[in-house]
Amino acid sequence: MNVYKLAAADGSIFTVEQDIVEQSGTLRNFLSTSGPTETPIPVPNISGPILSRVIEYCQHHRDDPSRRKPREAIPDESDSSDAAIARAIAQMDDYDMEFCKVDQGTLFDLILAANFLDIQPLMDLVGFTVANKMKGKSVEEIRSTFNVKNDFTPEEEQARSKETIKHLKVFSAGQADWTSQNRTLVFSLHPLGRGVAVAVAGKQTREHLTSDVQANEQDQRIYVCGTPPVPDSRLPFISATHAVFAALQNVMNADDAQVGIDGLLRLSAFYREAMLRQVRELQENSNSSETDVFQAMHAVWHLAEIMYLSTNMPGLNTPAVPLFLEWLNFNFPSPPPEERHELLEADADSLTANESFWPYLRKLALRGHVATLASLLEHVAPASAMSAAAARWARELAAGLREMPVGSANETTGSFNSRWRRWHSKLQASSTAISSLLDTDDSELSQIYDLVCIVCGDADSISAAADTWLDVLGAVLLYCEPASPADRLPALTQTVLEQFQTSDFALLDRALVALLSHDLPELLLYCDQVDSWLSAHLTDMLHHIGILDSCRRVFAVDPREHYLLALGEQYLRHDCLWQVAIDYFGLAGSRAGESLMEEYLVRIPLDSDRKAQQVLRTCKRYCLESAQDRIHRQLGRQKWLRGRLGAAIAHFAHVDDRAAISQICDQLWAEYLSSGKLTYGPIIDGVLATGLKHERLQFLTFYRDFHESYKAGDYENAASTLLRILLNDMAPPHAVSDLLVDAIPLLEADKPVFSSDDTFELLRCAESLVRSPFTKAFSQDSNIASNELSIFNVACARNLARSFVM
């Protein structure tokens, strides 16, 4: 074993063995990069006494195979009770208890050293010691114990105390206190989601309070609880499976008859491939918790595919046994493949001396790896340590295994059973013959007999060799009922489970038992605990297969709708998944889903034009006219505030909000009057290009034509356009006075452009304006001052005179 030297910060040198160094992640990475070295490895920032304590700890735990004993003693974060802490302390050995009995400075130096050297068990131990010292202490006591400076000002501290008393102390009050304070706890729970909002409110209204009850102000705090957000690592998986989900709904809604079991099986394979791809990516990133979740999801989905799709292919006689064994060996591989290569490369004498050889063969027999089992038996038969009888029966068993009948889709069940009985009878005879030789002290022959008993389907031998209930079930199916259909699995599963304590089963085992027992309600409940994606997509697939009706009688709501909407709400917590979430709402095919779509779509932040168009297209695809109108109004107001008046008019036009369009047109007119520059032409052109028709837009269009004609010196066309605006009542009442003022230069032109009849029409417009309710005092309230009115009248008189003369 290599020996290394460590140099502490104060120059102290420590000689340690390789297994001590390997407990430190930092030192292990250093050596993997630089290789073995005789030069002392510098350990900065750690003094000699502290490094000595760390080395002492590592030497004490060097014989621990996992080197993680302290982590077992750390209670779960969600269990902070006194009992949990007591259990954690009880699990520590005496050395760990004494190791932590140091002064506070040494304890924090050990934390820094464990963190720098990356020794996680030591970090857990000293961290738990500090946490235990903090337990039960107030904020002031913790500050005093650990010399933490209070950075709050006295005013901030007082305000914080009042806030804590106001919003938190009320939750710890007894029932009598709550009644006397007129307090109660109210909450709102989404019927299909997982979020809950809790608040403190008045128990009775103030009008119904008696004099002995205190009236408190309404608490403004709302405490919201919900599921954690979707991690970014899941986004590729969600995108891929959402595409499969949408394709499944489309093909099923188009023509159910043409999809069939074969089509559903292909789509199910796409789901499984996405799960396996996610497992590989998580394993590359060393995300063990998420990896376990996706492996469990794949195991459940794969077995459901076998139970309800693969064994129900029309026109095929498909037994469940080979498919079940394929599922078992794929999702729960045993024995490890790498061991197989090592054993096949070893010589026969080495195999007989290997203590793990015969247990390995029993695992091969349980999992149905008969070809590998036969090869290893033939390989070990020539061993010098084996007796002649053991070698003979090893070869006989290998030959029998190679003759094991294998069914096919083209063979009838009766024909296969006949071949199987003949083979099984031959194997039973071998078992009887071997049992007669067991009186001799031949350990190898006894091991071969155990293998023969397993292959013959002996229940006791199978149970003794198996590690899990799935191993027992797989062996019973293979060697006792190899032609069993999927409908036989529930009964066999219940028989096997009688040998196990099912109350100790993990969540995945419970889900698999429910699936094998055809207990769909229990299956869906366990799947939802595994992951909400699994429960949502599995219920959808079962719905399309046509076997979900039994669940609908058990659940208060439709399970497919419930789980799809719950998954959609979970995806809404991620900014990039709103379209995916809306699709789950819409494709759930329920009124509740439509309501959720409308509520969420109108609340999506429209922070870009591209996103706004995506939201509107989504509304159009699902025929959500009400949500589409609300979004157009929202976008119209948004564009209006940002000065994009043309876009605002277009959005308001979609909902026929004529009042808003009129206000925007009035704003354009007011900007022209204040600046004297007509700049709204491009806006009007863009709006009119959409085919929108509105009287205010028509007025602005004609006025622009008038303005351009006047500017070009085409006074006759300008006069004609202005007169058309006035006579056809295109202009709003507040703009008529400004139009009459615009007529003055045309009336005073060198060449008359208004005829006498036109002039009389202008005078009638002025008279109507004066008498209209809009302007009760024309000369004071209108935009035409009294001198301008006189100028207008004089200009009309002159134009009439010139018209008569001409």
Side-chain angles (χ1 to χ4, degrees):
M1 183 179 293
N2 294 332
V3 177
Y4 299 94
K5 295 181 180 180
L6 303 180
D10 55 7
S12 304
I13 303 296
F14 298 87
T15 302
V16 294
E17 297 174 337
Q18 183 173 351
D19 62 340
I20 303 300
V21 173
E22 287 179 351
Q23 295 187 46
S24 166
T26 303
L27 299 179
R28 188 168 58 249
N29 294 335
F30 175 83
L31 292 176
S32 64
T33 304
S34 61
T37 178
E38 296 180 357
T39 305
I41 302 174
V43 186
N45 303 326
I46 301 179
S47 63
I50 297 299
L51 185 57
S52 175
R53 295 275 296 174
V54 173
I55 294 173
E56 176 188 345
Y57 172 85
C58 294
Q59 288 174 340
H60 176 78
H61 289 287
R62 70 193 307 171
D63 296 329
D64 185 356
S66 63
R67 295 191 178 97
R68 301 192 69 80
K69 186 174 181 179
R71 178 170 284 281
E72 299 176 1
I74 305 303
D76 185 76
E77 292 180 358
S78 61
D79 190 358
S80 58
S81 63
D82 295 342
I85 296 176
R87 289 195 301 270
I89 296 175
Q91 292 175 13
M92 296 181 182
D93 59 20
D94 295 336
Y95 175 85
D96 291 336
M97 299 290 292
E98 292 297 323
F99 183 85
C100 296
K101 292 181 180 179
V102 294
D103 60 273
Q104 185 170 299
T106 303
L107 189 62
F108 279 96
D109 287 338
L110 287 172
I111 292 177
L112 296 174
N115 181 62
F116 175 80
L117 293 173
D118 191 16
I119 305 176
Q120 190 60 47
L122 178 59
M123 189 68 185
D124 290 342
L125 179 63
V126 292
F128 170 70
T129 303
V130 173
N132 196 31
K133 288 178 176 289
M134 298 172 63
K135 177 183 171 293
K137 290 183 170 61
S138 64
V139 176
E140 289 73 21
E141 291 173 337
I142 293 174
R143 286 175 179 156
S144 175
T145 302
F146 298 99
N147 298 321
V148 178
K149 181 182 178 181
N150 184 3
D151 54 357
F152 286 105
T153 64
E155 293 78 14
E156 291 174 339
E157 186 72 21
Q158 184 178 5
R160 188 181 64 86
S161 301
K162 291 181 179 180
E163 192 76 359
T164 302
I165 293 174
K166 178 181 178 182
H167 295 295
L168 299 181
K169 187 176 180 180
V170 67
F171 282 98
S172 62
Q175 182 177 359
D177 296 331
W178 279 61
T179 302
S180 64
Q181 296 175 10
N182 187 39
R183 296 275 185 168
T184 189
L185 194 65
V186 296
F187 68 92
S188 176
L189 178 65
H190 196 286
L192 297 176
R194 300 174 179 173
V196 58
V198 184
V200 178
K203 202 167 188 178
Q204 297 179 353
T205 61
R206 291 178 179 271
E207 293 78 8
H208 296 84
L209 293 179
T210 57
S211 58
D212 59 331
V213 177
Q214 177 184 359
N216 292 278
E217 293 296 329
Q218 180 71 32
D219 192 344
Q220 300 299 317
R221 287 282 183 93
I222 298 178
Y223 303 86
V224 181
C225 307
T227 55
V230 180
D232 291 341
S233 59
R234 284 201 178 194
L235 293 183
F237 170 77
I238 292 173
S239 177
T241 54
H242 166 252
V244 179
F245 173 77
L248 175 59
Q249 313 313 310
N250 291 335
V251 296
M252 294 302 294
N253 293 333
D255 190 351
D256 293 7
Q258 293 185 4
V259 178
I261 297 296
D262 184 51
L264 292 175
L265 191 59
R266 287 196 298 270
L267 290 169
S268 176
F270 288 136
Y271 278 130
R272 288 205 297 118
E273 176 56 33
M275 285 183 254
L276 293 175
R277 185 166 55 248
Q278 184 71 6
V279 168
R280 291 191 293 268
E281 293 179 359
L282 291 171
Q283 288 174 339
E284 292 176 359
N285 297 326
S286 301
N287 192 337
S288 58
S289 60
E290 277 281 278
T291 301
D292 294 340
V293 171
F294 276 90
Q295 287 177 336
M297 289 165 55
H298 182 269
V300 174
W301 189 280
H302 192 184
L303 184 57
E305 179 184 290
I306 293 172
M307 296 283 290
Y308 299 116
L309 290 175
S310 299
T311 56
N312 291 322
M313 292 292 288
L316 295 178
N317 181 23
T318 309
V321 177
L323 294 174
F324 180 84
L325 287 175
E326 178 188 356
W327 166 83
L328 181 60
N329 289 314
F330 184 87
N331 293 279
F332 307 95
S334 178
E338 54 271 14
E339 293 185 15
R340 181 185 313 172
H341 300 299
E342 295 177 2
L343 294 175
L344 287 173
E345 293 175 358
D347 56 64
D349 292 328
S350 299
L351 290 178
T352 56
N354 192 337
E355 295 181 354
S356 62
F357 176 67
W358 294 106
Y360 182 84
L361 294 187
R362 287 193 290 272
K363 290 180 181 179
L364 289 176
L366 289 172
R367 290 301 186 93
H369 300 297
V370 292
T372 305
L373 177 58
S375 299
L376 287 173
L377 286 172
E378 292 171 345
H379 187 59
V380 77
S384 59
M386 291 188 69
S387 64
R392 174 201 166 192
W393 287 111
R395 287 190 290 268
E396 288 284 343
L397 179 57
L401 290 171
R402 294 193 184 280
E403 296 174 358
M404 181 176 177
V406 178
S408 64
N410 299 324
E411 185 179 17
T412 63
T413 303
S415 173
F416 173 77
N417 286 336
S418 177
R419 292 194 300 119
W420 179 269
R421 282 192 296 269
R422 290 194 298 271
W423 176 82
H424 191 264
S425 298
K426 183 178 178 181
L427 210 60
Q428 285 281 22
S430 299
S431 174
T432 303
I434 297 174
S435 64
S436 64
L437 303 174
L438 292 179
D439 294 338
T440 61
D441 189 13
D442 192 340
S443 60
E444 282 76 13
L445 186 61
S446 178
Q447 299 286 0
I448 293 174
Y449 178 71
D450 291 340
L451 289 174
V452 174
C453 290
I454 292 175
V455 177
C456 287
D458 182 69
D460 294 335
S461 299
I462 291 174
S463 300
D467 295 329
T468 66
W469 67 276
L470 286 171
D471 289 337
V472 177
L473 180 59
V476 169
L477 281 170
L478 178 60
Y479 300 121
C480 298
E481 300 191 25
S484 296
D487 294 339
R488 179 70 177 137
L489 289 176
L492 287 176
T493 301
Q494 295 305 318
T495 303
V496 169
L497 291 177
E498 293 176 357
Q499 310 172 30
F500 294 87
Q501 189 70 26
T502 57
S503 59
D504 299 332
F505 276 12
L507 181 60
L508 176 58
D509 291 314
R510 295 174 184 271
L512 295 176
V513 169
L515 179 54
L516 289 168
S517 304
H518 292 304
D519 190 349
L520 294 185
E522 286 291 319
L523 169 65
L524 297 181
L525 291 176
Y526 290 133
C527 287
D528 195 46
Q529 296 178 46
V530 173
D531 195 87
S532 56
W533 182 96
L534 179 61
S535 57
H537 290 82
L538 187 59
T539 50
D540 178 66
M541 182 61 74
L542 296 177
H543 163 75
H544 292 304
I545 296 173
I547 59 174
L548 200 62
D549 292 338
S550 60
C551 291
R552 292 190 171 96
R553 294 190 295 269
V554 176
F555 288 91
V557 295
D558 182 83
R560 176 178 179 270
E561 173 189 339
H562 169 80
Y563 290 122
L564 288 178
L565 298 185
L567 183 65
E569 287 193 324
Q570 182 181 351
Y571 286 170
L572 277 173
R573 296 183 177 93
H574 198 288
D575 294 338
C576 299
L577 296 177
W578 68 267
Q579 288 178 290
V580 175
I582 295 301
D583 278 346
Y584 280 101
F585 291 156
L587 297 175
S590 65
R591 178 58 189 167
E594 183 178 338
S595 300
L596 286 173
M597 277 195 297
E598 291 186 0
E599 291 302 318
Y600 282 115
L601 281 171
V602 298
R603 287 170 173 77
I604 293 177
L606 305 177
D607 43 20
S608 67
D609 290 342
R610 181 174 178 270
K611 189 173 183 179
Q613 292 304 317
Q614 290 175 339
V615 173
L616 289 172
R617 283 195 297 268
T618 302
C619 293
K620 186 177 181 180
R621 184 167 74 251
Y622 290 107
C623 301
L624 303 175
E625 296 181 359
S626 176
Q628 192 172 3
D629 290 350
R630 292 169 66 180
I631 293 171
H632 273 301
R633 293 181 189 276
Q634 179 182 349
L635 288 171
R637 290 190 293 269
Q638 186 183 91
K639 305 302 184 199
W640 194 353
L641 292 174
R642 295 178 181 177
R644 298 176 58 184
L645 303 183
I649 292 174
H651 285 296
F652 286 128
H654 278 285
V655 294
D656 197 25
D657 192 343
R658 308 182 73 82
I661 295 175
S662 298
Q663 293 179 23
I664 295 176
C665 292
D666 291 345
Q667 178 179 336
L668 293 172
W669 178 255
E671 291 175 357
Y672 161 68
L673 293 180
S674 61
S675 64
K677 297 180 180 179
L678 198 151
T679 58
Y680 61 75
I683 297 176
I684 297 299
D685 290 336
V687 173
L688 293 178
T690 63
L692 176 64
K693 295 182 179 180
H694 189 276
E695 59 272 8
R696 294 295 174 86
L697 292 173
Q698 187 180 22
F699 160 67
L700 292 176
T701 303
F702 275 92
Y703 187 80
R704 181 192 58 181
D705 295 341
F706 158 75
H707 191 274
E708 291 177 352
S709 297
Y710 185 87
K711 188 177 180 180
D714 188 0
Y715 298 136
E716 292 185 359
N717 190 30
S720 175
T721 303
L722 182 61
L723 194 62
R724 183 178 179 183
I725 295 173
L726 291 170
L727 297 182
N728 293 332
D729 296 328
M730 297 182 187
H734 60 78
V736 173
S737 57
D738 298 302
L739 296 177
L740 293 178
V741 172
D742 287 336
I744 294 176
L746 295 176
L747 291 169
E748 295 288 352
D750 296 336
K751 180 180 178 181
V753 293
F754 287 113
S755 66
S756 57
D757 294 336
D758 295 339
T759 307
F760 283 120
E761 292 295 339
L762 290 174
L763 290 171
R764 277 194 288 270
C765 290
E767 183 179 3
S768 300
L769 179 63
V770 173
R771 295 181 178 180
S772 68
F774 181 79
T775 52
K776 295 182 179 180
F778 179 79
S779 60
Q780 296 179 7
D781 298 336
S782 70
N783 293 328
I784 301 179
S786 57
N787 59 335
E788 292 179 332
L789 178 60
S790 301
I791 295 173
F792 174 77
N793 290 329
V794 171
C796 288
R798 290 180 179 177
N799 190 71
L800 283 173
R802 287 190 295 170
S803 298
F804 291 149
V805 170
M806 295 179 62

